[in-house]
Amino acid sequence: MKIKLFTIPNLLTLSNLLCGMIATVAILTDGDLHLAFWLLADMVSSGVAPTAVMLTLAWQAGSSWWTADTGGPWSWIVLLLAVGTALRLAKFNIDDTQRTEFCGLPSPAAGLFCASLGLLHAEGMLSLPYEAVLLAAAATAWLMISPIRMFALKFHGFGWRGNRLRYLFLGACVVLILTLGAYAIPAIFVLYVVVSLVRWLLQGLRAAEA
């Protein structure tokens, strides 16, 4: 049987892999956080490259009150991002319950969040303390493997019924983009996590009362 390696899906995947590797090299060799944002889903683009972004942010952060060496071993906490991404992708591939919603934070969302922090830092619009970088990386890694059920933007037709949360979320995203500009991406990320968490907790309460 002849196997075609260079099909359109494979070429798209390989292109994505190439972009992720270029982004990673650009980050670690030149500290180019602008390029990383535009080249950032899969393990490299959503795991390795965002980890490199957060590692760079940790290294460039000012000295904290408890450690003067921001390039020391504590910085390697951000490597949990790559681990979380690998576990998230593995779980997604074998979990049939994630066809209409996600169990845990989708890795592309995590990658975009980290990339947006890098872009804001590169533009001089954000300066995160060392502790905040490590906490953001660890929290994002945990969210990817958490049991929290997160809604997906997969519409069932175009009607309001069954899509109300999606329409409301997209509307909120538009408002955030118009009002916050470049800061909208991390704000949308936080909104998505909070709304999903509240929705998951309410579902749990209803199930317990039933």
Side-chain angles (χ1 to χ4, degrees):
M1 183 174 107
K2 186 177 180 180
I3 300 176
K4 293 183 178 180
L5 295 177
F6 298 103
T7 61
I8 292 178
N10 285 349
L11 288 174
L12 291 174
T13 300
L14 291 173
S15 298
N16 183 43
L17 173 64
L18 180 61
C19 287
M21 292 305 300
I22 294 174
T24 304
V25 172
I27 297 163
L28 297 180
T29 58
D30 301 324
D32 192 343
L33 297 174
H34 290 93
L35 183 61
F37 177 82
W38 295 110
L39 291 178
L40 290 176
D42 295 324
M43 182 57 210
V44 175
S45 297
S46 294
V48 178
T51 299
V53 169
M54 297 301 282
L55 191 58
T56 301
L57 289 179
W59 288 343
Q60 295 180 0
S63 300
S64 67
W65 62 270
W66 55 279
T67 177
D69 184 13
T70 56
W74 283 106
S75 298
W76 300 108
I77 287 177
V78 301
L79 297 182
L80 292 173
L81 275 171
V83 176
T85 303
L87 293 174
R88 173 75 185 91
L89 292 173
K91 182 170 70 171
F92 180 78
N93 288 332
I94 61 175
D95 188 354
D96 292 334
T97 69
Q98 299 192 57
R99 294 179 178 177
T100 58
E101 63 180 6
F102 301 113
C103 181
L105 179 70
S107 56
L112 185 59
F113 169 66
C114 295
S116 68
L117 295 183
L119 179 65
L120 291 172
H121 175 79
E123 294 287 346
M125 301 170 65
L126 181 68
S127 180
L128 290 175
Y130 186 61
E131 295 83 1
V133 176
L134 302 187
L135 180 60
T140 304
W142 178 81
L143 284 170
M144 283 191 283
I145 60 174
S146 72
I148 301 174
R149 307 296 297 191
M150 300 193 172
F151 68 94
L153 293 176
K154 298 177 181 179
F155 284 80
H156 307 289
F158 296 98
W160 175 259
R161 186 174 183 179
N163 293 315
R164 180 175 58 181
L165 178 60
R166 297 176 182 87
Y167 279 124
L168 290 174
F169 178 75
L170 290 177
C173 289
V174 172
V175 173
L176 289 173
I177 292 172
L178 293 177
T179 56
L180 299 181
Y183 294 103
I185 296 179
I188 290 172
F189 173 85
V190 173
L191 177 65
Y192 176 70
V193 172
V194 171
V195 170
S196 294
L197 177 59
V198 172
R199 170 179 172 269
W200 179 61
L201 291 174
L202 290 176
Q203 287 177 338
L205 289 175
R206 294 192 191 101
E209 293 173 355

